[in-house]
Each structure stands twice: as structure tokens, then as C-alpha cells.
Amino acid sequence: MTIEEEINELKRKRNAVILAHNYQRGEIQEIADFTGDSLELARKATQVEADVIVFCGVYFMAETAAILNPSKIVLIPNPDAGCPMADMITAAQLREFKAKKPGAKAVCYVNSTAEVKAECDMCVTSGNAEAVMKTFSPKDEIIFVPDQHLGGHIAGKLNRKYNLWPGYCPTHAHLTAAKIEEARRLHPGAIVMVHPECAKDVRDAADERLSTGGMCAFARNSSAKDFIVGTEVGILHRLRKENPGKNFYPVTDTLICPNMKKTTLASLRESLAEMRERVIVPEEIQVRAKRAIDAMLAIA
Ligand code: 13P
Ligand code: SF4
């Protein structure tokens, strides 16, 4: 039996679905029931009818699925697959930040811990941040954590000023405007797509600033043939598979999120075989964190 056959058999036995993020290894995306960005995966988690969700991604994503669907068993094959950006602010630090801005609305990027979400009025993902942030009045004071770049990007688009926490993604920090210009020289005429987690000069050097799901939709609907991709290289698997007549060039093939790559077919098989590692969110945190995520899902 191949490892894929073993996983599929275990999946049937456990009545499980496999959800995978767009940055996962190609073989994980291939065996998953659904692959998407953070927003698409959060929505999917609310619709799952199976008993078990095996989440192939980083910890906050599995935690979001557990918050949204607390009656399900949510497993993460590699519980040490964290997101360093999500760990750049703790709930205690956020409470201190909020105490300095009484009356401000607290907004968290979904790349945050359940404890941080529980302290927030609203959650956003890169796929809906603009639409969600538009629903606040320009008079509202906003605290935005933890990603300074996504927060700065949306504040710029909406011509507003947010109180930004100085968090960032260490993987996207490898991208520079000079690397974008070099990629343009190598692939003249190609459309440059970058993730809004990139720094401002990188976002300014690109043509499009999109979530990973946004990049898939943009590439599908565009009449262009050549694209330069400024995000984690795992997404190239899906872009190339869905658009066989088009060309996708990474700005640099070293843009790798090590945590996203921790999940392998072997760890996925072990996870289903041993029903581990279960993601547990204490009820008191789950209920409060769910409010912020539900508020987001109700908008966009
Ligand atoms: P997306 O929601 O755009 O997939 O982004 C998740 C992420 O962690 C990007 O680094
Ligand atoms: Fe976190 Fe960056 Fe990895 Fe996304 S790419 S999961 S933001 S470390």
C-alpha cells in the first residue's frame, strides 16, 4: 500500500477531512480534501460535517478551526508548526497596549493566538482585511495587531491611521524591492503579485497585493500569461496546476516558511493513526475568540 492509500484508508476509518493551506507541500495539497487561504479555510471549518478535521498548516489556523467548530476533533500533525508572527504579541502585551488607548477598537490579523483573538473586537485575514476595516468609522481609533505591514497596507488604502503593533512575517521579510526589480528584468512584462505581509517598499514595487487565495483567483481570471510570485513558494504548486498554460516565477525560490514545511505525508499518516495532536482551546478563550472571528465572517 502506498502512504497515500494508507492515509485515505485512515481518513475513512476516522471519518476525517483534511484541510491544507496554500503553502503546504505539493503532496499534502494533493491528498487534502480542500486547499485554500486562511479565510477560505476558516469558512470551510464551519461547514465540516465529518467528526475529525486534520489541519495541515500552522498552529493558529488549526486553532481557528477548533474555535469555529468546537464540537469537532481538530488535529494538527505537527503541533510545533507555529507562526512566528502570531507569537510576536501575547494577550498580556495586547491588554497593556489597549490600556494606553482607552476606547480603541482592537483588531487582530488571523495570524494571532486564540488568547489574543479573545481580547479583540474584530479579526481580519489578508483576504478580507480591506472590506472588514471599511466597516469601521474613520473616527474610530484602531489598534491593529500583530502585523505592521498588513495593518499599514490597509490603513494606506483607506487613508486612515492605525496604532500598529510592530510584528512582521520573518519569511516575507526576505523579499526586497531590489529582488522584485531583478525578477522583472528576468521576466519582462510579467505581472508581479506580492502578499500584503511584505514591507511597504516591496508592496509598492509590485503590481498586485493579494492574499494567497486572491493570487489564485487573480491568475485564473487574468488574460496575462506570465506572473512573478512574491510569497511562500508552496503556492506555486496550486498556481501551476490550475493554470497549465501560464508561467509562474518565484521572486526567489528561497522564500520558504519552515513551519509550513513541517507537515509531511508521514506526519499526516501518524496524526490520523494516533489521533494526535488534538488542538484544545479552553472554553472561556474559545467563546471570546469566536466572537471576533464571527464578527469578521458576518461582514465578508
Ligand atoms: P493567506 O491567508 O493569504 O493564505 O496568508 C496566510 C499566511 O500566513 C501568509 O503568510
Ligand atoms: Fe507565519 Fe509568515 Fe509562515 Fe505565514 S509565512 S505562517 S505569516 S511565518
PDB file of all heavy atoms in Angstrom, residues 21 23 38 57-61 81-88 109 111 147 168-173 195 197 212 231-232 255-260, ligand 2:
ATOM      1  N   HIS A  21      -3.334  24.414   3.882  1.00  0.00           N
ATOM      2  CA  HIS A  21      -3.080  25.791   3.438  1.00  0.00           C
ATOM      3  C   HIS A  21      -2.309  25.766   2.116  1.00  0.00           C
ATOM      4  O   HIS A  21      -1.588  24.804   1.811  1.00  0.00           O
ATOM      5  CB  HIS A  21      -2.280  26.560   4.506  1.00  0.00           C
ATOM      6  CG  HIS A  21      -2.111  27.996   4.147  1.00  0.00           C
ATOM      7  ND1 HIS A  21      -0.964  28.490   3.549  1.00  0.00           N
ATOM      8  CD2 HIS A  21      -2.973  29.052   4.244  1.00  0.00           C
ATOM      9  CE1 HIS A  21      -1.131  29.790   3.323  1.00  0.00           C
ATOM     10  NE2 HIS A  21      -2.339  30.159   3.742  1.00  0.00           N
ATOM     11  N   TYR A  23       0.348  27.028   1.289  1.00  0.00           N
ATOM     12  CA  TYR A  23       1.810  26.933   1.395  1.00  0.00           C
ATOM     13  C   TYR A  23       2.285  25.513   1.697  1.00  0.00           C
ATOM     14  O   TYR A  23       3.489  25.286   1.850  1.00  0.00           O
ATOM     15  CB  TYR A  23       2.335  27.824   2.520  1.00  0.00           C
ATOM     16  CG  TYR A  23       2.186  29.316   2.346  1.00  0.00           C
ATOM     17  CD1 TYR A  23       2.258  30.167   3.445  1.00  0.00           C
ATOM     18  CD2 TYR A  23       2.011  29.911   1.103  1.00  0.00           C
ATOM     19  CE1 TYR A  23       2.148  31.535   3.331  1.00  0.00           C
ATOM     20  CE2 TYR A  23       1.890  31.285   0.977  1.00  0.00           C
ATOM     21  CZ  TYR A  23       1.960  32.099   2.094  1.00  0.00           C
ATOM     22  OH  TYR A  23       1.852  33.454   1.982  1.00  0.00           O
ATOM     23  N   SER A  38      -6.279  31.484   4.452  1.00  0.00           N
ATOM     24  CA  SER A  38      -6.783  31.463   5.835  1.00  0.00           C
ATOM     25  C   SER A  38      -8.285  31.693   5.896  1.00  0.00           C
ATOM     26  O   SER A  38      -8.979  31.064   6.695  1.00  0.00           O
ATOM     27  CB  SER A  38      -6.095  32.552   6.661  1.00  0.00           C
ATOM     28  OG  SER A  38      -4.719  32.442   6.559  1.00  0.00           O
ATOM     29  N   GLY A  57      -1.277  22.941   8.259  1.00  0.00           N
ATOM     30  CA  GLY A  57      -0.969  24.371   8.163  1.00  0.00           C
ATOM     31  C   GLY A  57      -0.168  24.729   9.388  1.00  0.00           C
ATOM     32  O   GLY A  57       0.551  23.880   9.918  1.00  0.00           O
ATOM     33  N   VAL A  58      -0.311  25.961   9.871  1.00  0.00           N
ATOM     34  CA  VAL A  58       0.377  26.323  11.115  1.00  0.00           C
ATOM     35  C   VAL A  58      -0.652  26.404  12.245  1.00  0.00           C
ATOM     36  O   VAL A  58      -1.858  26.409  12.010  1.00  0.00           O
ATOM     37  CB  VAL A  58       1.215  27.617  10.975  1.00  0.00           C
ATOM     38  CG1 VAL A  58       2.429  27.369  10.102  1.00  0.00           C
ATOM     39  CG2 VAL A  58       0.385  28.768  10.442  1.00  0.00           C
ATOM     40  N   TYR A  59      -0.135  26.483  13.486  1.00  0.00           N
ATOM     41  CA  TYR A  59      -0.987  26.251  14.649  1.00  0.00           C
ATOM     42  C   TYR A  59      -2.199  27.179  14.726  1.00  0.00           C
ATOM     43  O   TYR A  59      -3.311  26.730  15.005  1.00  0.00           O
ATOM     44  CB  TYR A  59      -0.158  26.357  15.945  1.00  0.00           C
ATOM     45  CG  TYR A  59      -0.838  25.648  17.090  1.00  0.00           C
ATOM     46  CD1 TYR A  59      -0.691  24.277  17.264  1.00  0.00           C
ATOM     47  CD2 TYR A  59      -1.668  26.338  17.967  1.00  0.00           C
ATOM     48  CE1 TYR A  59      -1.338  23.603  18.289  1.00  0.00           C
ATOM     49  CE2 TYR A  59      -2.321  25.672  18.996  1.00  0.00           C
ATOM     50  CZ  TYR A  59      -2.155  24.312  19.146  1.00  0.00           C
ATOM     51  OH  TYR A  59      -2.811  23.642  20.149  1.00  0.00           O
ATOM     52  N   PHE A  60      -2.000  28.490  14.439  1.00  0.00           N
ATOM     53  CA  PHE A  60      -3.143  29.392  14.607  1.00  0.00           C
ATOM     54  C   PHE A  60      -4.287  29.026  13.662  1.00  0.00           C
ATOM     55  O   PHE A  60      -5.451  29.298  13.957  1.00  0.00           O
ATOM     56  CB  PHE A  60      -2.723  30.871  14.437  1.00  0.00           C
ATOM     57  CG  PHE A  60      -2.544  31.313  13.006  1.00  0.00           C
ATOM     58  CD1 PHE A  60      -3.627  31.669  12.216  1.00  0.00           C
ATOM     59  CD2 PHE A  60      -1.281  31.370  12.443  1.00  0.00           C
ATOM     60  CE1 PHE A  60      -3.461  32.069  10.890  1.00  0.00           C
ATOM     61  CE2 PHE A  60      -1.102  31.764  11.119  1.00  0.00           C
ATOM     62  CZ  PHE A  60      -2.201  32.115  10.346  1.00  0.00           C
ATOM     63  N   MET A  61      -3.966  28.417  12.543  1.00  0.00           N
ATOM     64  CA  MET A  61      -5.005  28.044  11.574  1.00  0.00           C
ATOM     65  C   MET A  61      -5.831  26.873  12.120  1.00  0.00           C
ATOM     66  O   MET A  61      -7.063  26.870  12.024  1.00  0.00           O
ATOM     67  CB  MET A  61      -4.375  27.665  10.226  1.00  0.00           C
ATOM     68  CG  MET A  61      -3.641  28.819   9.570  1.00  0.00           C
ATOM     69  SD  MET A  61      -2.908  28.324   7.999  1.00  0.00           S
ATOM     70  CE  MET A  61      -2.274  29.909   7.451  1.00  0.00           C
ATOM     71  N   ALA A  81       4.478  23.365  14.526  1.00  0.00           N
ATOM     72  CA  ALA A  81       4.422  24.223  13.332  1.00  0.00           C
ATOM     73  C   ALA A  81       3.698  25.515  13.720  1.00  0.00           C
ATOM     74  O   ALA A  81       2.488  25.638  13.581  1.00  0.00           O
ATOM     75  CB  ALA A  81       3.681  23.501  12.198  1.00  0.00           C
ATOM     76  N   GLY A  82       4.462  26.438  14.256  1.00  0.00           N
ATOM     77  CA  GLY A  82       3.868  27.703  14.703  1.00  0.00           C
ATOM     78  C   GLY A  82       4.031  28.784  13.661  1.00  0.00           C
ATOM     79  O   GLY A  82       4.606  28.564  12.592  1.00  0.00           O
ATOM     80  N   CYS A  83       3.512  29.953  13.959  1.00  0.00           N
ATOM     81  CA  CYS A  83       3.735  31.117  13.086  1.00  0.00           C
ATOM     82  C   CYS A  83       4.452  32.150  13.949  1.00  0.00           C
ATOM     83  O   CYS A  83       3.865  32.681  14.892  1.00  0.00           O
ATOM     84  CB  CYS A  83       2.405  31.671  12.583  1.00  0.00           C
ATOM     85  SG  CYS A  83       2.579  33.305  11.804  1.00  0.00           S
ATOM     86  N   PRO A  84       5.732  32.429  13.645  1.00  0.00           N
ATOM     87  CA  PRO A  84       6.486  33.372  14.485  1.00  0.00           C
ATOM     88  C   PRO A  84       5.795  34.734  14.603  1.00  0.00           C
ATOM     89  O   PRO A  84       5.869  35.372  15.643  1.00  0.00           O
ATOM     90  CB  PRO A  84       7.833  33.502  13.773  1.00  0.00           C
ATOM     91  CG  PRO A  84       7.910  32.380  12.808  1.00  0.00           C
ATOM     92  CD  PRO A  84       6.531  31.859  12.549  1.00  0.00           C
ATOM     93  N   MET A  85       5.110  35.160  13.535  1.00  0.00           N
ATOM     94  CA  MET A  85       4.422  36.452  13.628  1.00  0.00           C
ATOM     95  C   MET A  85       3.314  36.405  14.689  1.00  0.00           C
ATOM     96  O   MET A  85       3.153  37.333  15.485  1.00  0.00           O
ATOM     97  CB  MET A  85       3.812  36.840  12.282  1.00  0.00           C
ATOM     98  CG  MET A  85       3.104  38.181  12.343  1.00  0.00           C
ATOM     99  SD  MET A  85       1.750  38.286  11.212  1.00  0.00           S
ATOM    100  CE  MET A  85       2.600  38.570   9.690  1.00  0.00           C
ATOM    101  N   ALA A  86       2.567  35.301  14.713  1.00  0.00           N
ATOM    102  CA  ALA A  86       1.474  35.171  15.686  1.00  0.00           C
ATOM    103  C   ALA A  86       2.014  35.240  17.113  1.00  0.00           C
ATOM    104  O   ALA A  86       1.320  35.702  18.018  1.00  0.00           O
ATOM    105  CB  ALA A  86       0.727  33.856  15.458  1.00  0.00           C
ATOM    106  N   ASP A  87       3.265  34.784  17.291  1.00  0.00           N
ATOM    107  CA  ASP A  87       3.844  34.770  18.643  1.00  0.00           C
ATOM    108  C   ASP A  87       4.524  36.087  18.997  1.00  0.00           C
ATOM    109  O   ASP A  87       5.156  36.193  20.046  1.00  0.00           O
ATOM    110  CB  ASP A  87       4.840  33.602  18.752  1.00  0.00           C
ATOM    111  CG  ASP A  87       4.112  32.261  18.637  1.00  0.00           C
ATOM    112  OD1 ASP A  87       2.927  32.197  19.025  1.00  0.00           O
ATOM    113  OD2 ASP A  87       4.710  31.299  18.127  1.00  0.00           O
ATOM    114  N   MET A  88       4.402  37.098  18.123  1.00  0.00           N
ATOM    115  CA  MET A  88       5.065  38.381  18.406  1.00  0.00           C
ATOM    116  C   MET A  88       4.260  39.270  19.346  1.00  0.00           C
ATOM    117  O   MET A  88       4.720  40.348  19.713  1.00  0.00           O
ATOM    118  CB  MET A  88       5.395  39.115  17.101  1.00  0.00           C
ATOM    119  CG  MET A  88       6.583  38.512  16.391  1.00  0.00           C
ATOM    120  SD  MET A  88       6.969  39.362  14.856  1.00  0.00           S
ATOM    121  CE  MET A  88       8.226  38.266  14.185  1.00  0.00           C
ATOM    122  N   TYR A 109      -5.091  40.437  13.178  1.00  0.00           N
ATOM    123  CA  TYR A 109      -4.901  39.600  11.987  1.00  0.00           C
ATOM    124  C   TYR A 109      -5.127  38.167  12.457  1.00  0.00           C
ATOM    125  O   TYR A 109      -4.778  37.809  13.593  1.00  0.00           O
ATOM    126  CB  TYR A 109      -3.469  39.813  11.501  1.00  0.00           C
ATOM    127  CG  TYR A 109      -3.066  39.159  10.202  1.00  0.00           C
ATOM    128  CD1 TYR A 109      -3.986  38.793   9.227  1.00  0.00           C
ATOM    129  CD2 TYR A 109      -1.709  38.936   9.939  1.00  0.00           C
ATOM    130  CE1 TYR A 109      -3.578  38.210   8.040  1.00  0.00           C
ATOM    131  CE2 TYR A 109      -1.289  38.359   8.747  1.00  0.00           C
ATOM    132  CZ  TYR A 109      -2.235  37.989   7.805  1.00  0.00           C
ATOM    133  OH  TYR A 109      -1.823  37.415   6.631  1.00  0.00           O
ATOM    134  N   ASN A 111      -3.525  35.702  11.943  1.00  0.00           N
ATOM    135  CA  ASN A 111      -2.229  35.151  12.363  1.00  0.00           C
ATOM    136  C   ASN A 111      -1.939  35.647  13.783  1.00  0.00           C
ATOM    137  O   ASN A 111      -1.086  36.506  14.012  1.00  0.00           O
ATOM    138  CB  ASN A 111      -1.099  35.624  11.429  1.00  0.00           C
ATOM    139  CG  ASN A 111      -1.245  35.129  10.005  1.00  0.00           C
ATOM    140  OD1 ASN A 111      -2.352  35.088   9.474  1.00  0.00           O
ATOM    141  ND2 ASN A 111      -0.145  34.767   9.386  1.00  0.00           N
ATOM    142  N   ASP A 147       0.480  42.288  12.728  1.00  0.00           N
ATOM    143  CA  ASP A 147       1.282  42.560  11.516  1.00  0.00           C
ATOM    144  C   ASP A 147       1.269  44.033  11.122  1.00  0.00           C
ATOM    145  O   ASP A 147       0.287  44.537  10.588  1.00  0.00           O
ATOM    146  CB  ASP A 147       0.774  41.703  10.339  1.00  0.00           C
ATOM    147  CG  ASP A 147       1.697  41.808   9.126  1.00  0.00           C
ATOM    148  OD1 ASP A 147       2.811  42.358   9.275  1.00  0.00           O
ATOM    149  OD2 ASP A 147       1.304  41.367   8.027  1.00  0.00           O
ATOM    150  N   TYR A 168       5.813  41.202  12.350  1.00  0.00           N
ATOM    151  CA  TYR A 168       6.061  41.012  10.911  1.00  0.00           C
ATOM    152  C   TYR A 168       6.288  39.523  10.643  1.00  0.00           C
ATOM    153  O   TYR A 168       6.543  38.747  11.554  1.00  0.00           O
ATOM    154  CB  TYR A 168       7.299  41.815  10.462  1.00  0.00           C
ATOM    155  CG  TYR A 168       8.559  41.340  11.120  1.00  0.00           C
ATOM    156  CD1 TYR A 168       9.372  40.385  10.508  1.00  0.00           C
ATOM    157  CD2 TYR A 168       8.911  41.775  12.403  1.00  0.00           C
ATOM    158  CE1 TYR A 168      10.504  39.895  11.142  1.00  0.00           C
ATOM    159  CE2 TYR A 168      10.031  41.285  13.044  1.00  0.00           C
ATOM    160  CZ  TYR A 168      10.829  40.352  12.409  1.00  0.00           C
ATOM    161  OH  TYR A 168      11.935  39.852  13.048  1.00  0.00           O
ATOM    162  N   CYS A 169       6.218  39.154   9.374  1.00  0.00           N
ATOM    163  CA  CYS A 169       6.486  37.767   8.987  1.00  0.00           C
ATOM    164  C   CYS A 169       7.959  37.620   8.615  1.00  0.00           C
ATOM    165  O   CYS A 169       8.411  38.251   7.649  1.00  0.00           O
ATOM    166  CB  CYS A 169       5.612  37.379   7.789  1.00  0.00           C
ATOM    167  SG  CYS A 169       6.202  35.861   7.009  1.00  0.00           S
ATOM    168  N   PRO A 170       8.713  36.769   9.315  1.00  0.00           N
ATOM    169  CA  PRO A 170      10.139  36.621   9.010  1.00  0.00           C
ATOM    170  C   PRO A 170      10.391  36.026   7.622  1.00  0.00           C
ATOM    171  O   PRO A 170      11.440  36.264   7.033  1.00  0.00           O
ATOM    172  CB  PRO A 170      10.649  35.661  10.091  1.00  0.00           C
ATOM    173  CG  PRO A 170       9.578  35.582  11.132  1.00  0.00           C
ATOM    174  CD  PRO A 170       8.299  35.945  10.479  1.00  0.00           C
ATOM    175  N   THR A 171       9.429  35.278   7.100  1.00  0.00           N
ATOM    176  CA  THR A 171       9.606  34.703   5.754  1.00  0.00           C
ATOM    177  C   THR A 171       9.461  35.802   4.699  1.00  0.00           C
ATOM    178  O   THR A 171      10.345  35.985   3.845  1.00  0.00           O
ATOM    179  CB  THR A 171       8.578  33.574   5.522  1.00  0.00           C
ATOM    180  OG1 THR A 171       8.859  32.518   6.439  1.00  0.00           O
ATOM    181  CG2 THR A 171       8.642  33.046   4.104  1.00  0.00           C
ATOM    182  N   HIS A 172       8.390  36.569   4.758  1.00  0.00           N
ATOM    183  CA  HIS A 172       8.198  37.635   3.770  1.00  0.00           C
ATOM    184  C   HIS A 172       9.237  38.752   3.920  1.00  0.00           C
ATOM    185  O   HIS A 172       9.457  39.524   2.971  1.00  0.00           O
ATOM    186  CB  HIS A 172       6.768  38.183   3.844  1.00  0.00           C
ATOM    187  CG  HIS A 172       5.755  37.238   3.260  1.00  0.00           C
ATOM    188  ND1 HIS A 172       5.134  36.268   4.007  1.00  0.00           N
ATOM    189  CD2 HIS A 172       5.303  37.089   1.987  1.00  0.00           C
ATOM    190  CE1 HIS A 172       4.327  35.555   3.222  1.00  0.00           C
ATOM    191  NE2 HIS A 172       4.405  36.035   1.991  1.00  0.00           N
ATOM    192  N   ALA A 173       9.878  38.837   5.104  1.00  0.00           N
ATOM    193  CA  ALA A 173      10.908  39.862   5.305  1.00  0.00           C
ATOM    194  C   ALA A 173      12.117  39.630   4.384  1.00  0.00           C
ATOM    195  O   ALA A 173      12.916  40.532   4.167  1.00  0.00           O
ATOM    196  CB  ALA A 173      11.361  39.873   6.766  1.00  0.00           C
ATOM    197  N   HIS A 195       2.352  39.355  -1.390  1.00  0.00           N
ATOM    198  CA  HIS A 195       1.437  39.238  -0.253  1.00  0.00           C
ATOM    199  C   HIS A 195       1.496  40.538   0.555  1.00  0.00           C
ATOM    200  O   HIS A 195       2.574  41.133   0.686  1.00  0.00           O
ATOM    201  CB  HIS A 195       1.858  38.040   0.611  1.00  0.00           C
ATOM    202  CG  HIS A 195       0.777  37.571   1.513  1.00  0.00           C
ATOM    203  ND1 HIS A 195       0.529  38.161   2.732  1.00  0.00           N
ATOM    204  CD2 HIS A 195      -0.164  36.595   1.363  1.00  0.00           C
ATOM    205  CE1 HIS A 195      -0.507  37.546   3.303  1.00  0.00           C
ATOM    206  NE2 HIS A 195      -0.946  36.588   2.490  1.00  0.00           N
ATOM    207  N   GLU A 197       1.749  40.953   3.537  1.00  0.00           N
ATOM    208  CA  GLU A 197       2.680  40.848   4.673  1.00  0.00           C
ATOM    209  C   GLU A 197       4.061  41.393   4.313  1.00  0.00           C
ATOM    210  O   GLU A 197       4.944  41.466   5.172  1.00  0.00           O
ATOM    211  CB  GLU A 197       2.819  39.387   5.117  1.00  0.00           C
ATOM    212  CG  GLU A 197       1.621  38.875   5.869  1.00  0.00           C
ATOM    213  CD  GLU A 197       1.707  37.394   6.177  1.00  0.00           C
ATOM    214  OE1 GLU A 197       2.787  36.801   6.054  1.00  0.00           O
ATOM    215  OE2 GLU A 197       0.663  36.827   6.538  1.00  0.00           O
ATOM    216  N   THR A 212      -3.166  34.753  -0.520  1.00  0.00           N
ATOM    217  CA  THR A 212      -2.812  33.617  -1.381  1.00  0.00           C
ATOM    218  C   THR A 212      -4.030  33.170  -2.206  1.00  0.00           C
ATOM    219  O   THR A 212      -3.895  32.828  -3.380  1.00  0.00           O
ATOM    220  CB  THR A 212      -2.232  32.448  -0.567  1.00  0.00           C
ATOM    221  OG1 THR A 212      -3.219  31.968   0.350  1.00  0.00           O
ATOM    222  CG2 THR A 212      -0.990  32.858   0.183  1.00  0.00           C
ATOM    223  N   THR A 231       5.502  35.452  -2.727  1.00  0.00           N
ATOM    224  CA  THR A 231       5.048  34.885  -1.455  1.00  0.00           C
ATOM    225  C   THR A 231       5.670  33.502  -1.310  1.00  0.00           C
ATOM    226  O   THR A 231       6.494  33.099  -2.149  1.00  0.00           O
ATOM    227  CB  THR A 231       3.501  34.868  -1.349  1.00  0.00           C
ATOM    228  OG1 THR A 231       3.133  34.623   0.007  1.00  0.00           O
ATOM    229  CG2 THR A 231       2.864  33.807  -2.241  1.00  0.00           C
ATOM    230  N   GLU A 232       5.276  32.772  -0.273  1.00  0.00           N
ATOM    231  CA  GLU A 232       5.872  31.467   0.016  1.00  0.00           C
ATOM    232  C   GLU A 232       5.729  30.544  -1.200  1.00  0.00           C
ATOM    233  O   GLU A 232       4.654  30.488  -1.828  1.00  0.00           O
ATOM    234  CB  GLU A 232       5.156  30.872   1.239  1.00  0.00           C
ATOM    235  CG  GLU A 232       6.030  30.050   2.142  1.00  0.00           C
ATOM    236  CD  GLU A 232       6.159  28.599   1.760  1.00  0.00           C
ATOM    237  OE1 GLU A 232       5.439  28.155   0.837  1.00  0.00           O
ATOM    238  OE2 GLU A 232       6.984  27.903   2.362  1.00  0.00           O
ATOM    239  N   LEU A 255      12.101  31.681  -0.648  1.00  0.00           N
ATOM    240  CA  LEU A 255      11.026  32.214   0.212  1.00  0.00           C
ATOM    241  C   LEU A 255      10.210  31.035   0.752  1.00  0.00           C
ATOM    242  O   LEU A 255       9.169  30.667   0.215  1.00  0.00           O
ATOM    243  CB  LEU A 255      10.138  33.167  -0.593  1.00  0.00           C
ATOM    244  CG  LEU A 255       9.418  34.197   0.269  1.00  0.00           C
ATOM    245  CD1 LEU A 255      10.368  35.306   0.672  1.00  0.00           C
ATOM    246  CD2 LEU A 255       8.237  34.787  -0.454  1.00  0.00           C
ATOM    247  N   ILE A 256      10.718  30.454   1.833  1.00  0.00           N
ATOM    248  CA  ILE A 256      10.117  29.233   2.385  1.00  0.00           C
ATOM    249  C   ILE A 256       9.758  29.473   3.851  1.00  0.00           C
ATOM    250  O   ILE A 256      10.581  29.971   4.616  1.00  0.00           O
ATOM    251  CB  ILE A 256      11.108  28.047   2.266  1.00  0.00           C
ATOM    252  CG1 ILE A 256      11.344  27.736   0.776  1.00  0.00           C
ATOM    253  CG2 ILE A 256      10.601  26.814   3.008  1.00  0.00           C
ATOM    254  CD1 ILE A 256      12.472  26.765   0.507  1.00  0.00           C
ATOM    255  N   CYS A 257       8.531  29.137   4.217  1.00  0.00           N
ATOM    256  CA  CYS A 257       8.126  29.201   5.624  1.00  0.00           C
ATOM    257  C   CYS A 257       8.448  27.835   6.232  1.00  0.00           C
ATOM    258  O   CYS A 257       7.775  26.843   5.920  1.00  0.00           O
ATOM    259  CB  CYS A 257       6.636  29.501   5.743  1.00  0.00           C
ATOM    260  SG  CYS A 257       6.039  29.403   7.441  1.00  0.00           S
ATOM    261  N   PRO A 258       9.477  27.743   7.072  1.00  0.00           N
ATOM    262  CA  PRO A 258       9.896  26.428   7.583  1.00  0.00           C
ATOM    263  C   PRO A 258       8.791  25.716   8.343  1.00  0.00           C
ATOM    264  O   PRO A 258       8.716  24.484   8.330  1.00  0.00           O
ATOM    265  CB  PRO A 258      11.079  26.743   8.504  1.00  0.00           C
ATOM    266  CG  PRO A 258      11.270  28.209   8.508  1.00  0.00           C
ATOM    267  CD  PRO A 258      10.276  28.864   7.615  1.00  0.00           C
ATOM    268  N   ASN A 259       7.930  26.479   8.993  1.00  0.00           N
ATOM    269  CA  ASN A 259       6.848  25.853   9.769  1.00  0.00           C
ATOM    270  C   ASN A 259       5.806  25.210   8.868  1.00  0.00           C
ATOM    271  O   ASN A 259       5.260  24.154   9.186  1.00  0.00           O
ATOM    272  CB  ASN A 259       6.219  26.887  10.689  1.00  0.00           C
ATOM    273  CG  ASN A 259       7.150  27.213  11.830  1.00  0.00           C
ATOM    274  OD1 ASN A 259       7.363  26.391  12.706  1.00  0.00           O
ATOM    275  ND2 ASN A 259       7.755  28.393  11.786  1.00  0.00           N
ATOM    276  N   MET A 260       5.538  25.843   7.735  1.00  0.00           N
ATOM    277  CA  MET A 260       4.571  25.273   6.789  1.00  0.00           C
ATOM    278  C   MET A 260       5.085  23.965   6.198  1.00  0.00           C
ATOM    279  O   MET A 260       4.321  23.132   5.743  1.00  0.00           O
ATOM    280  CB  MET A 260       4.298  26.272   5.659  1.00  0.00           C
ATOM    281  CG  MET A 260       3.363  27.380   6.071  1.00  0.00           C
ATOM    282  SD  MET A 260       1.659  26.733   6.155  1.00  0.00           S
ATOM    283  CE  MET A 260       0.779  28.221   6.620  1.00  0.00           C
TER     284      MET A 260
HETATM  285 FE1  SF4 B   2       3.501  32.942   9.658  1.00  0.00          FE
HETATM  286 FE2  SF4 B   2       4.949  34.064   7.745  1.00  0.00          FE
HETATM  287 FE3  SF4 B   2       4.777  31.425   7.858  1.00  0.00          FE
HETATM  288 FE4  SF4 B   2       2.664  32.906   7.107  1.00  0.00          FE
HETATM  289  S1  SF4 B   2       4.606  32.670   6.014  1.00  0.00           S
HETATM  290  S2  SF4 B   2       2.649  31.187   8.539  1.00  0.00           S
HETATM  291  S3  SF4 B   2       2.946  34.699   8.425  1.00  0.00           S
HETATM  292  S4  SF4 B   2       5.716  32.787   9.382  1.00  0.00           S
END
